[in-house]
Amino acid sequence: MKFTKMQGLGNDYIYVNCFSERVENINETAKRLSDRHFGIGSDGLVLIKPSEIADFRMDMYNSDGTQAQMCGNAIRCVAKYVFDRKLTDKTEISVETLAGIKYLQLNLNGNGTVETVRVNMGKPELFPKKIPILSDLDTFIMQDIEIDGKIYKTTGVSMGNPHIVVFIDEMPDMCRLGPKFENNPLFPERINTEFIKVQDRSNIIMRVWERGAGETLACGTGACAAMVAAKLSDLVDEAATVHLLGGDLKIEWNGECVYMTGPCEFVFDGEI
C-alpha cells in the first residue's frame, strides 16, 4: 500500500489515496500503522475517497483505531494532497466528512503548491444533547465540572465532533487530567478536551487532549471550539489567533460559521 505522511501544525496523519489504493481491516490497520514504535507513526489514518455529493471524501481514524467525524488539520492536508497531486485544479473545493460537507479555499505559494487553507468549518452546535453532554441545560456554557476535588469552568461545543473547553490559569498535567475529562461519565461518546488561557482579545493559548489519540500538537476543530467558547463569554473579538504546541491557527467566528486558516505540509511518501 502506498501512503503519504503529512502534517498540519505537527498533527500528523498517514494519507492513502483510495482512488488507486484499497485498505483492508481499516480500524486495525489504523492502529497498527499509527504506532510510533512498531508502525509508521502518526495521530491516525486518513483515507481520501471519491464522493457522490462533494469533490472528495475524507474518512479518518484515530491512532487507537476508532473512527472520528472530523479533523481540521487533516482536512487542510487533504486539500494540499488533491491539488498538489493534480486530482483537481480547483482552488475552492468541497470535502465530504462524517460531520458534513466542508468548503475549502486553497492558498498557493510562489511554486504553485498549496501553502495554507481556509476552511469553512460550519456552525458550532451548542445544545448539550447533540454534542453530546449529559445535561438538561439548553447550553453548557461556563459550567462547573469537578475533577479530583477541583472545580473547572467549562463550555461544551460540537464542531461535528465533541469538545469540552476548559478555562485555566496555568496549563495542567495533561497526562493526568486529559483522560479524566475524556472518560468522564458526562460525555457518553468520550470527548476532546481543550485547556485554554485567553491571553487577550486576539490571542488564545491552548493545549489539547484528543479522544482516542491523547495529547496532540494541534487540533483544528478544537481551536474552533476554543474560539467559540471564548467568544460566548465575550473574552475575544470575532477573529483570534490560537497558539498551539505545533504552531498557530487563525480562527474567525461572527456568530454563524467558523472559519479556520492554517498551514499544511508534505512530509514523505512511502510504501508498506
PDB file of all heavy atoms in Angstrom, residues 124-126 140-142 153-159 163-167 194 196 198 204 206 221-237 251 253 258:
ATOM      1  N   PRO A 124     -21.173  26.008  14.866  1.00  0.00           N
ATOM      2  CA  PRO A 124     -20.988  25.191  16.065  1.00  0.00           C
ATOM      3  C   PRO A 124     -22.324  24.742  16.646  1.00  0.00           C
ATOM      4  O   PRO A 124     -23.326  25.464  16.552  1.00  0.00           O
ATOM      5  CB  PRO A 124     -20.265  26.143  17.026  1.00  0.00           C
ATOM      6  CG  PRO A 124     -20.660  27.512  16.577  1.00  0.00           C
ATOM      7  CD  PRO A 124     -20.839  27.425  15.088  1.00  0.00           C
ATOM      8  N   GLU A 125     -22.335  23.571  17.218  1.00  0.00           N
ATOM      9  CA  GLU A 125     -23.515  23.041  17.911  1.00  0.00           C
ATOM     10  C   GLU A 125     -23.317  23.241  19.408  1.00  0.00           C
ATOM     11  O   GLU A 125     -22.307  22.828  19.965  1.00  0.00           O
ATOM     12  CB  GLU A 125     -23.690  21.556  17.597  1.00  0.00           C
ATOM     13  CG  GLU A 125     -24.821  20.883  18.361  1.00  0.00           C
ATOM     14  CD  GLU A 125     -26.180  21.484  18.055  1.00  0.00           C
ATOM     15  OE1 GLU A 125     -26.624  21.364  16.905  1.00  0.00           O
ATOM     16  OE2 GLU A 125     -26.778  22.079  18.995  1.00  0.00           O
ATOM     17  N   LEU A 126     -24.292  23.890  20.052  1.00  0.00           N
ATOM     18  CA  LEU A 126     -24.161  24.219  21.470  1.00  0.00           C
ATOM     19  C   LEU A 126     -25.159  23.467  22.357  1.00  0.00           C
ATOM     20  O   LEU A 126     -25.047  23.519  23.580  1.00  0.00           O
ATOM     21  CB  LEU A 126     -24.331  25.730  21.678  1.00  0.00           C
ATOM     22  CG  LEU A 126     -23.332  26.627  20.931  1.00  0.00           C
ATOM     23  CD1 LEU A 126     -23.675  28.092  21.141  1.00  0.00           C
ATOM     24  CD2 LEU A 126     -21.914  26.337  21.381  1.00  0.00           C
ATOM     25  N   PHE A 140     -24.253  24.537  27.460  1.00  0.00           N
ATOM     26  CA  PHE A 140     -23.326  24.154  28.532  1.00  0.00           C
ATOM     27  C   PHE A 140     -22.173  25.152  28.507  1.00  0.00           C
ATOM     28  O   PHE A 140     -21.079  24.872  28.023  1.00  0.00           O
ATOM     29  CB  PHE A 140     -22.841  22.723  28.300  1.00  0.00           C
ATOM     30  CG  PHE A 140     -22.283  22.056  29.529  1.00  0.00           C
ATOM     31  CD1 PHE A 140     -23.107  21.400  30.432  1.00  0.00           C
ATOM     32  CD2 PHE A 140     -20.918  22.073  29.780  1.00  0.00           C
ATOM     33  CE1 PHE A 140     -22.598  20.783  31.560  1.00  0.00           C
ATOM     34  CE2 PHE A 140     -20.390  21.452  30.899  1.00  0.00           C
ATOM     35  CZ  PHE A 140     -21.225  20.808  31.801  1.00  0.00           C
ATOM     36  N   ILE A 141     -22.467  26.369  29.001  1.00  0.00           N
ATOM     37  CA  ILE A 141     -21.516  27.474  28.918  1.00  0.00           C
ATOM     38  C   ILE A 141     -21.057  27.856  30.325  1.00  0.00           C
ATOM     39  O   ILE A 141     -21.866  28.131  31.206  1.00  0.00           O
ATOM     40  CB  ILE A 141     -22.144  28.695  28.214  1.00  0.00           C
ATOM     41  CG1 ILE A 141     -22.513  28.322  26.771  1.00  0.00           C
ATOM     42  CG2 ILE A 141     -21.185  29.887  28.218  1.00  0.00           C
ATOM     43  CD1 ILE A 141     -23.295  29.397  26.047  1.00  0.00           C
ATOM     44  N   MET A 142     -19.742  27.855  30.531  1.00  0.00           N
ATOM     45  CA  MET A 142     -19.121  28.183  31.816  1.00  0.00           C
ATOM     46  C   MET A 142     -19.756  27.396  32.968  1.00  0.00           C
ATOM     47  O   MET A 142     -20.060  27.938  34.034  1.00  0.00           O
ATOM     48  CB  MET A 142     -19.197  29.686  32.078  1.00  0.00           C
ATOM     49  CG  MET A 142     -18.191  30.503  31.297  1.00  0.00           C
ATOM     50  SD  MET A 142     -16.491  30.058  31.758  1.00  0.00           S
ATOM     51  CE  MET A 142     -15.541  31.322  30.921  1.00  0.00           C
ATOM     52  N   LYS A 153     -14.116  25.575  35.154  1.00  0.00           N
ATOM     53  CA  LYS A 153     -15.129  26.232  34.332  1.00  0.00           C
ATOM     54  C   LYS A 153     -15.006  25.710  32.904  1.00  0.00           C
ATOM     55  O   LYS A 153     -13.926  25.778  32.291  1.00  0.00           O
ATOM     56  CB  LYS A 153     -14.941  27.755  34.342  1.00  0.00           C
ATOM     57  CG  LYS A 153     -15.262  28.405  35.679  1.00  0.00           C
ATOM     58  CD  LYS A 153     -16.761  28.330  35.982  1.00  0.00           C
ATOM     59  CE  LYS A 153     -17.111  29.073  37.283  1.00  0.00           C
ATOM     60  NZ  LYS A 153     -18.548  28.928  37.619  1.00  0.00           N
ATOM     61  N   THR A 154     -16.108  25.201  32.365  1.00  0.00           N
ATOM     62  CA  THR A 154     -16.051  24.520  31.071  1.00  0.00           C
ATOM     63  C   THR A 154     -17.213  24.933  30.179  1.00  0.00           C
ATOM     64  O   THR A 154     -18.296  25.287  30.656  1.00  0.00           O
ATOM     65  CB  THR A 154     -16.092  22.995  31.248  1.00  0.00           C
ATOM     66  OG1 THR A 154     -17.385  22.610  31.733  1.00  0.00           O
ATOM     67  CG2 THR A 154     -15.024  22.517  32.220  1.00  0.00           C
ATOM     68  N   THR A 155     -16.972  24.856  28.863  1.00  0.00           N
ATOM     69  CA  THR A 155     -18.009  25.120  27.865  1.00  0.00           C
ATOM     70  C   THR A 155     -17.990  24.004  26.831  1.00  0.00           C
ATOM     71  O   THR A 155     -16.922  23.634  26.323  1.00  0.00           O
ATOM     72  CB  THR A 155     -17.781  26.470  27.169  1.00  0.00           C
ATOM     73  OG1 THR A 155     -17.946  27.526  28.130  1.00  0.00           O
ATOM     74  CG2 THR A 155     -18.756  26.691  26.032  1.00  0.00           C
ATOM     75  N   GLY A 156     -19.161  23.461  26.528  1.00  0.00           N
ATOM     76  CA  GLY A 156     -19.279  22.374  25.564  1.00  0.00           C
ATOM     77  C   GLY A 156     -19.635  22.883  24.175  1.00  0.00           C
ATOM     78  O   GLY A 156     -20.534  23.715  24.018  1.00  0.00           O
ATOM     79  N   VAL A 157     -18.933  22.369  23.167  1.00  0.00           N
ATOM     80  CA  VAL A 157     -19.151  22.768  21.776  1.00  0.00           C
ATOM     81  C   VAL A 157     -18.942  21.543  20.895  1.00  0.00           C
ATOM     82  O   VAL A 157     -18.017  20.757  21.134  1.00  0.00           O
ATOM     83  CB  VAL A 157     -18.145  23.863  21.325  1.00  0.00           C
ATOM     84  CG1 VAL A 157     -18.409  24.271  19.873  1.00  0.00           C
ATOM     85  CG2 VAL A 157     -18.200  25.080  22.236  1.00  0.00           C
ATOM     86  N   SER A 158     -19.790  21.377  19.880  1.00  0.00           N
ATOM     87  CA  SER A 158     -19.504  20.393  18.847  1.00  0.00           C
ATOM     88  C   SER A 158     -19.153  21.115  17.559  1.00  0.00           C
ATOM     89  O   SER A 158     -19.844  22.045  17.141  1.00  0.00           O
ATOM     90  CB  SER A 158     -20.705  19.475  18.593  1.00  0.00           C
ATOM     91  OG  SER A 158     -20.445  18.642  17.471  1.00  0.00           O
ATOM     92  N   MET A 159     -18.061  20.692  16.938  1.00  0.00           N
ATOM     93  CA  MET A 159     -17.708  21.163  15.595  1.00  0.00           C
ATOM     94  C   MET A 159     -17.821  19.988  14.620  1.00  0.00           C
ATOM     95  O   MET A 159     -17.011  19.805  13.730  1.00  0.00           O
ATOM     96  CB  MET A 159     -16.291  21.743  15.593  1.00  0.00           C
ATOM     97  CG  MET A 159     -16.108  23.013  16.371  1.00  0.00           C
ATOM     98  SD  MET A 159     -17.165  24.399  15.819  1.00  0.00           S
ATOM     99  CE  MET A 159     -16.850  24.464  14.064  1.00  0.00           C
ATOM    100  N   HIS A 163     -16.436  18.535  21.915  1.00  0.00           N
ATOM    101  CA  HIS A 163     -15.350  19.230  22.612  1.00  0.00           C
ATOM    102  C   HIS A 163     -15.848  19.794  23.936  1.00  0.00           C
ATOM    103  O   HIS A 163     -16.981  20.284  24.032  1.00  0.00           O
ATOM    104  CB  HIS A 163     -14.819  20.393  21.781  1.00  0.00           C
ATOM    105  CG  HIS A 163     -14.164  19.975  20.505  1.00  0.00           C
ATOM    106  ND1 HIS A 163     -12.835  19.654  20.434  1.00  0.00           N
ATOM    107  CD2 HIS A 163     -14.670  19.800  19.259  1.00  0.00           C
ATOM    108  CE1 HIS A 163     -12.535  19.303  19.185  1.00  0.00           C
ATOM    109  NE2 HIS A 163     -13.629  19.385  18.456  1.00  0.00           N
ATOM    110  N   ILE A 164     -14.983  19.739  24.942  1.00  0.00           N
ATOM    111  CA  ILE A 164     -15.201  20.475  26.177  1.00  0.00           C
ATOM    112  C   ILE A 164     -14.002  21.411  26.335  1.00  0.00           C
ATOM    113  O   ILE A 164     -12.847  20.974  26.310  1.00  0.00           O
ATOM    114  CB  ILE A 164     -15.379  19.543  27.398  1.00  0.00           C
ATOM    115  CG1 ILE A 164     -15.894  20.333  28.601  1.00  0.00           C
ATOM    116  CG2 ILE A 164     -14.131  18.767  27.732  1.00  0.00           C
ATOM    117  CD1 ILE A 164     -17.356  20.712  28.487  1.00  0.00           C
ATOM    118  N   VAL A 165     -14.289  22.702  26.434  1.00  0.00           N
ATOM    119  CA  VAL A 165     -13.252  23.722  26.544  1.00  0.00           C
ATOM    120  C   VAL A 165     -13.115  24.083  28.017  1.00  0.00           C
ATOM    121  O   VAL A 165     -14.097  24.475  28.664  1.00  0.00           O
ATOM    122  CB  VAL A 165     -13.595  24.962  25.702  1.00  0.00           C
ATOM    123  CG1 VAL A 165     -12.508  26.025  25.847  1.00  0.00           C
ATOM    124  CG2 VAL A 165     -13.769  24.573  24.235  1.00  0.00           C
ATOM    125  N   VAL A 166     -11.906  23.944  28.540  1.00  0.00           N
ATOM    126  CA  VAL A 166     -11.647  24.161  29.959  1.00  0.00           C
ATOM    127  C   VAL A 166     -10.819  25.436  30.114  1.00  0.00           C
ATOM    128  O   VAL A 166      -9.723  25.549  29.556  1.00  0.00           O
ATOM    129  CB  VAL A 166     -10.888  22.964  30.567  1.00  0.00           C
ATOM    130  CG1 VAL A 166     -10.706  23.152  32.072  1.00  0.00           C
ATOM    131  CG2 VAL A 166     -11.615  21.650  30.267  1.00  0.00           C
ATOM    132  N   PHE A 167     -11.344  26.389  30.854  1.00  0.00           N
ATOM    133  CA  PHE A 167     -10.657  27.663  31.071  1.00  0.00           C
ATOM    134  C   PHE A 167      -9.723  27.532  32.271  1.00  0.00           C
ATOM    135  O   PHE A 167     -10.156  27.173  33.362  1.00  0.00           O
ATOM    136  CB  PHE A 167     -11.676  28.781  31.322  1.00  0.00           C
ATOM    137  CG  PHE A 167     -12.520  29.091  30.112  1.00  0.00           C
ATOM    138  CD1 PHE A 167     -13.654  28.326  29.815  1.00  0.00           C
ATOM    139  CD2 PHE A 167     -12.191  30.132  29.268  1.00  0.00           C
ATOM    140  CE1 PHE A 167     -14.433  28.609  28.700  1.00  0.00           C
ATOM    141  CE2 PHE A 167     -12.962  30.419  28.153  1.00  0.00           C
ATOM    142  CZ  PHE A 167     -14.082  29.652  27.864  1.00  0.00           C
ATOM    143  N   GLU A 194     -10.021  20.769  25.394  1.00  0.00           N
ATOM    144  CA  GLU A 194      -9.122  21.896  25.137  1.00  0.00           C
ATOM    145  C   GLU A 194      -8.906  22.670  26.425  1.00  0.00           C
ATOM    146  O   GLU A 194      -9.883  23.142  27.027  1.00  0.00           O
ATOM    147  CB  GLU A 194      -9.692  22.842  24.069  1.00  0.00           C
ATOM    148  CG  GLU A 194      -9.641  22.293  22.667  1.00  0.00           C
ATOM    149  CD  GLU A 194     -10.658  21.185  22.409  1.00  0.00           C
ATOM    150  OE1 GLU A 194     -11.809  21.304  22.842  1.00  0.00           O
ATOM    151  OE2 GLU A 194     -10.275  20.177  21.784  1.00  0.00           O
ATOM    152  N   ILE A 196      -7.530  26.026  27.778  1.00  0.00           N
ATOM    153  CA  ILE A 196      -7.192  27.307  27.156  1.00  0.00           C
ATOM    154  C   ILE A 196      -6.956  28.403  28.191  1.00  0.00           C
ATOM    155  O   ILE A 196      -7.578  28.433  29.254  1.00  0.00           O
ATOM    156  CB  ILE A 196      -8.253  27.773  26.144  1.00  0.00           C
ATOM    157  CG1 ILE A 196      -9.538  28.241  26.835  1.00  0.00           C
ATOM    158  CG2 ILE A 196      -8.568  26.675  25.134  1.00  0.00           C
ATOM    159  CD1 ILE A 196     -10.493  29.002  25.924  1.00  0.00           C
ATOM    160  N   VAL A 198      -6.921  32.532  27.860  1.00  0.00           N
ATOM    161  CA  VAL A 198      -7.158  33.676  26.982  1.00  0.00           C
ATOM    162  C   VAL A 198      -6.162  34.768  27.356  1.00  0.00           C
ATOM    163  O   VAL A 198      -6.234  35.350  28.436  1.00  0.00           O
ATOM    164  CB  VAL A 198      -8.606  34.182  27.092  1.00  0.00           C
ATOM    165  CG1 VAL A 198      -8.819  35.384  26.172  1.00  0.00           C
ATOM    166  CG2 VAL A 198      -9.584  33.057  26.742  1.00  0.00           C
ATOM    167  N   ILE A 204      -5.307  33.275  22.047  1.00  0.00           N
ATOM    168  CA  ILE A 204      -5.667  32.186  22.953  1.00  0.00           C
ATOM    169  C   ILE A 204      -4.534  31.173  22.960  1.00  0.00           C
ATOM    170  O   ILE A 204      -4.060  30.755  21.899  1.00  0.00           O
ATOM    171  CB  ILE A 204      -6.966  31.485  22.492  1.00  0.00           C
ATOM    172  CG1 ILE A 204      -8.144  32.468  22.475  1.00  0.00           C
ATOM    173  CG2 ILE A 204      -7.281  30.292  23.390  1.00  0.00           C
ATOM    174  CD1 ILE A 204      -9.393  31.901  21.809  1.00  0.00           C
ATOM    175  N   MET A 206      -3.509  27.356  23.879  1.00  0.00           N
ATOM    176  CA  MET A 206      -4.296  26.133  24.007  1.00  0.00           C
ATOM    177  C   MET A 206      -3.419  24.889  23.948  1.00  0.00           C
ATOM    178  O   MET A 206      -2.450  24.826  23.200  1.00  0.00           O
ATOM    179  CB  MET A 206      -5.322  26.071  22.865  1.00  0.00           C
ATOM    180  CG  MET A 206      -6.131  24.794  22.782  1.00  0.00           C
ATOM    181  SD  MET A 206      -7.259  24.844  21.375  1.00  0.00           S
ATOM    182  CE  MET A 206      -6.924  23.256  20.635  1.00  0.00           C
ATOM    183  N   THR A 221     -10.380  21.400  14.900  1.00  0.00           N
ATOM    184  CA  THR A 221     -11.738  21.544  15.419  1.00  0.00           C
ATOM    185  C   THR A 221     -11.695  22.044  16.857  1.00  0.00           C
ATOM    186  O   THR A 221     -12.566  22.803  17.289  1.00  0.00           O
ATOM    187  CB  THR A 221     -12.504  20.211  15.349  1.00  0.00           C
ATOM    188  OG1 THR A 221     -11.769  19.193  16.035  1.00  0.00           O
ATOM    189  CG2 THR A 221     -12.739  19.797  13.902  1.00  0.00           C
ATOM    190  N   GLY A 222     -10.660  21.623  17.604  1.00  0.00           N
ATOM    191  CA  GLY A 222     -10.512  22.086  18.989  1.00  0.00           C
ATOM    192  C   GLY A 222     -10.235  23.568  19.067  1.00  0.00           C
ATOM    193  O   GLY A 222     -10.745  24.263  19.955  1.00  0.00           O
ATOM    194  N   ALA A 223      -9.405  24.084  18.143  1.00  0.00           N
ATOM    195  CA  ALA A 223      -9.136  25.520  18.104  1.00  0.00           C
ATOM    196  C   ALA A 223     -10.408  26.295  17.797  1.00  0.00           C
ATOM    197  O   ALA A 223     -10.653  27.367  18.366  1.00  0.00           O
ATOM    198  CB  ALA A 223      -8.054  25.821  17.068  1.00  0.00           C
ATOM    199  N   CYS A 224     -11.234  25.747  16.903  1.00  0.00           N
ATOM    200  CA  CYS A 224     -12.520  26.387  16.595  1.00  0.00           C
ATOM    201  C   CYS A 224     -13.428  26.388  17.819  1.00  0.00           C
ATOM    202  O   CYS A 224     -14.074  27.395  18.129  1.00  0.00           O
ATOM    203  CB  CYS A 224     -13.198  25.666  15.434  1.00  0.00           C
ATOM    204  SG  CYS A 224     -12.339  25.815  13.861  1.00  0.00           S
ATOM    205  N   ALA A 225     -13.485  25.250  18.518  1.00  0.00           N
ATOM    206  CA  ALA A 225     -14.298  25.162  19.730  1.00  0.00           C
ATOM    207  C   ALA A 225     -13.809  26.138  20.787  1.00  0.00           C
ATOM    208  O   ALA A 225     -14.609  26.778  21.488  1.00  0.00           O
ATOM    209  CB  ALA A 225     -14.275  23.733  20.269  1.00  0.00           C
ATOM    210  N   ALA A 226     -12.490  26.286  20.916  1.00  0.00           N
ATOM    211  CA  ALA A 226     -11.917  27.218  21.885  1.00  0.00           C
ATOM    212  C   ALA A 226     -12.323  28.653  21.554  1.00  0.00           C
ATOM    213  O   ALA A 226     -12.668  29.433  22.449  1.00  0.00           O
ATOM    214  CB  ALA A 226     -10.397  27.086  21.900  1.00  0.00           C
ATOM    215  N   MET A 227     -12.272  29.001  20.275  1.00  0.00           N
ATOM    216  CA  MET A 227     -12.670  30.338  19.843  1.00  0.00           C
ATOM    217  C   MET A 227     -14.142  30.603  20.166  1.00  0.00           C
ATOM    218  O   MET A 227     -14.504  31.657  20.702  1.00  0.00           O
ATOM    219  CB  MET A 227     -12.428  30.475  18.336  1.00  0.00           C
ATOM    220  CG  MET A 227     -12.937  31.762  17.736  1.00  0.00           C
ATOM    221  SD  MET A 227     -12.012  33.195  18.337  1.00  0.00           S
ATOM    222  CE  MET A 227     -12.884  34.517  17.504  1.00  0.00           C
ATOM    223  N   VAL A 228     -14.998  29.632  19.848  1.00  0.00           N
ATOM    224  CA  VAL A 228     -16.433  29.784  20.115  1.00  0.00           C
ATOM    225  C   VAL A 228     -16.681  29.946  21.611  1.00  0.00           C
ATOM    226  O   VAL A 228     -17.431  30.835  22.043  1.00  0.00           O
ATOM    227  CB  VAL A 228     -17.207  28.569  19.558  1.00  0.00           C
ATOM    228  CG1 VAL A 228     -18.657  28.578  20.052  1.00  0.00           C
ATOM    229  CG2 VAL A 228     -17.168  28.577  18.034  1.00  0.00           C
ATOM    230  N   ALA A 229     -16.045  29.102  22.423  1.00  0.00           N
ATOM    231  CA  ALA A 229     -16.243  29.170  23.870  1.00  0.00           C
ATOM    232  C   ALA A 229     -15.786  30.510  24.429  1.00  0.00           C
ATOM    233  O   ALA A 229     -16.466  31.110  25.278  1.00  0.00           O
ATOM    234  CB  ALA A 229     -15.484  28.032  24.550  1.00  0.00           C
ATOM    235  N   ALA A 230     -14.631  31.010  23.964  1.00  0.00           N
ATOM    236  CA  ALA A 230     -14.127  32.292  24.453  1.00  0.00           C
ATOM    237  C   ALA A 230     -15.014  33.444  24.001  1.00  0.00           C
ATOM    238  O   ALA A 230     -15.266  34.384  24.765  1.00  0.00           O
ATOM    239  CB  ALA A 230     -12.703  32.501  23.955  1.00  0.00           C
ATOM    240  N   LYS A 231     -15.529  33.358  22.766  1.00  0.00           N
ATOM    241  CA  LYS A 231     -16.388  34.437  22.248  1.00  0.00           C
ATOM    242  C   LYS A 231     -17.732  34.451  22.968  1.00  0.00           C
ATOM    243  O   LYS A 231     -18.297  35.517  23.232  1.00  0.00           O
ATOM    244  CB  LYS A 231     -16.604  34.255  20.740  1.00  0.00           C
ATOM    245  CG  LYS A 231     -17.381  35.388  20.073  1.00  0.00           C
ATOM    246  CD  LYS A 231     -16.529  36.637  19.961  1.00  0.00           C
ATOM    247  CE  LYS A 231     -17.203  37.714  19.110  1.00  0.00           C
ATOM    248  NZ  LYS A 231     -18.426  38.256  19.705  1.00  0.00           N
ATOM    249  N   LEU A 232     -18.253  33.276  23.304  1.00  0.00           N
ATOM    250  CA  LEU A 232     -19.523  33.199  24.025  1.00  0.00           C
ATOM    251  C   LEU A 232     -19.448  33.905  25.375  1.00  0.00           C
ATOM    252  O   LEU A 232     -20.447  34.417  25.871  1.00  0.00           O
ATOM    253  CB  LEU A 232     -19.933  31.741  24.216  1.00  0.00           C
ATOM    254  CG  LEU A 232     -20.454  31.003  22.978  1.00  0.00           C
ATOM    255  CD1 LEU A 232     -20.574  29.515  23.263  1.00  0.00           C
ATOM    256  CD2 LEU A 232     -21.798  31.571  22.525  1.00  0.00           C
ATOM    257  N   SER A 233     -18.253  33.920  25.957  1.00  0.00           N
ATOM    258  CA  SER A 233     -18.049  34.604  27.239  1.00  0.00           C
ATOM    259  C   SER A 233     -17.469  36.001  27.052  1.00  0.00           C
ATOM    260  O   SER A 233     -17.014  36.616  28.028  1.00  0.00           O
ATOM    261  CB  SER A 233     -17.122  33.762  28.133  1.00  0.00           C
ATOM    262  OG  SER A 233     -17.756  32.541  28.481  1.00  0.00           O
ATOM    263  N   ASP A 234     -17.481  36.493  25.795  1.00  0.00           N
ATOM    264  CA  ASP A 234     -17.009  37.839  25.457  1.00  0.00           C
ATOM    265  C   ASP A 234     -15.576  38.078  25.911  1.00  0.00           C
ATOM    266  O   ASP A 234     -15.229  39.146  26.412  1.00  0.00           O
ATOM    267  CB  ASP A 234     -17.941  38.906  26.047  1.00  0.00           C
ATOM    268  CG  ASP A 234     -17.707  40.297  25.429  1.00  0.00           C
ATOM    269  OD1 ASP A 234     -17.267  40.355  24.267  1.00  0.00           O
ATOM    270  OD2 ASP A 234     -17.945  41.307  26.126  1.00  0.00           O
ATOM    271  N   LEU A 235     -14.741  37.082  25.697  1.00  0.00           N
ATOM    272  CA  LEU A 235     -13.329  37.202  26.066  1.00  0.00           C
ATOM    273  C   LEU A 235     -12.440  37.529  24.868  1.00  0.00           C
ATOM    274  O   LEU A 235     -11.287  37.909  25.043  1.00  0.00           O
ATOM    275  CB  LEU A 235     -12.852  35.901  26.713  1.00  0.00           C
ATOM    276  CG  LEU A 235     -13.569  35.497  28.006  1.00  0.00           C
ATOM    277  CD1 LEU A 235     -13.086  34.130  28.468  1.00  0.00           C
ATOM    278  CD2 LEU A 235     -13.349  36.546  29.087  1.00  0.00           C
ATOM    279  N   VAL A 236     -12.975  37.343  23.636  1.00  0.00           N
ATOM    280  CA  VAL A 236     -12.224  37.627  22.416  1.00  0.00           C
ATOM    281  C   VAL A 236     -13.122  38.350  21.422  1.00  0.00           C
ATOM    282  O   VAL A 236     -14.347  38.377  21.565  1.00  0.00           O
ATOM    283  CB  VAL A 236     -11.679  36.335  21.769  1.00  0.00           C
ATOM    284  CG1 VAL A 236     -10.627  35.684  22.645  1.00  0.00           C
ATOM    285  CG2 VAL A 236     -12.806  35.360  21.469  1.00  0.00           C
ATOM    286  N   ASP A 237     -12.483  38.931  20.388  1.00  0.00           N
ATOM    287  CA  ASP A 237     -13.224  39.567  19.297  1.00  0.00           C
ATOM    288  C   ASP A 237     -13.604  38.514  18.258  1.00  0.00           C
ATOM    289  O   ASP A 237     -13.486  37.316  18.514  1.00  0.00           O
ATOM    290  CB  ASP A 237     -12.387  40.693  18.691  1.00  0.00           C
ATOM    291  CG  ASP A 237     -12.120  41.816  19.689  1.00  0.00           C
ATOM    292  OD1 ASP A 237     -12.996  42.067  20.545  1.00  0.00           O
ATOM    293  OD2 ASP A 237     -11.022  42.411  19.633  1.00  0.00           O
ATOM    294  N   ILE A 251      -8.563  31.794  13.663  1.00  0.00           N
ATOM    295  CA  ILE A 251      -9.957  31.370  13.762  1.00  0.00           C
ATOM    296  C   ILE A 251     -10.855  32.595  13.761  1.00  0.00           C
ATOM    297  O   ILE A 251     -10.587  33.571  14.468  1.00  0.00           O
ATOM    298  CB  ILE A 251     -10.224  30.539  15.034  1.00  0.00           C
ATOM    299  CG1 ILE A 251      -9.169  29.430  15.189  1.00  0.00           C
ATOM    300  CG2 ILE A 251     -11.625  29.951  14.998  1.00  0.00           C
ATOM    301  CD1 ILE A 251      -9.183  28.369  14.131  1.00  0.00           C
ATOM    302  N   TRP A 253     -15.049  33.849  13.952  1.00  0.00           N
ATOM    303  CA  TRP A 253     -16.443  33.479  14.219  1.00  0.00           C
ATOM    304  C   TRP A 253     -17.245  34.731  14.499  1.00  0.00           C
ATOM    305  O   TRP A 253     -16.968  35.456  15.455  1.00  0.00           O
ATOM    306  CB  TRP A 253     -16.554  32.519  15.412  1.00  0.00           C
ATOM    307  CG  TRP A 253     -17.952  32.001  15.608  1.00  0.00           C
ATOM    308  CD1 TRP A 253     -18.769  31.459  14.657  1.00  0.00           C
ATOM    309  CD2 TRP A 253     -18.718  31.983  16.817  1.00  0.00           C
ATOM    310  NE1 TRP A 253     -19.982  31.089  15.192  1.00  0.00           N
ATOM    311  CE2 TRP A 253     -19.971  31.402  16.519  1.00  0.00           C
ATOM    312  CE3 TRP A 253     -18.442  32.396  18.127  1.00  0.00           C
ATOM    313  CZ2 TRP A 253     -20.961  31.232  17.486  1.00  0.00           C
ATOM    314  CZ3 TRP A 253     -19.424  32.216  19.089  1.00  0.00           C
ATOM    315  CH2 TRP A 253     -20.673  31.640  18.777  1.00  0.00           C
ATOM    316  N   VAL A 258     -17.851  29.113  11.501  1.00  0.00           N
ATOM    317  CA  VAL A 258     -16.484  29.298  11.982  1.00  0.00           C
ATOM    318  C   VAL A 258     -15.526  29.057  10.814  1.00  0.00           C
ATOM    319  O   VAL A 258     -15.692  28.096  10.052  1.00  0.00           O
ATOM    320  CB  VAL A 258     -16.162  28.312  13.122  1.00  0.00           C
ATOM    321  CG1 VAL A 258     -14.756  28.556  13.654  1.00  0.00           C
ATOM    322  CG2 VAL A 258     -17.188  28.420  14.239  1.00  0.00           C
TER     323      VAL A 258
END
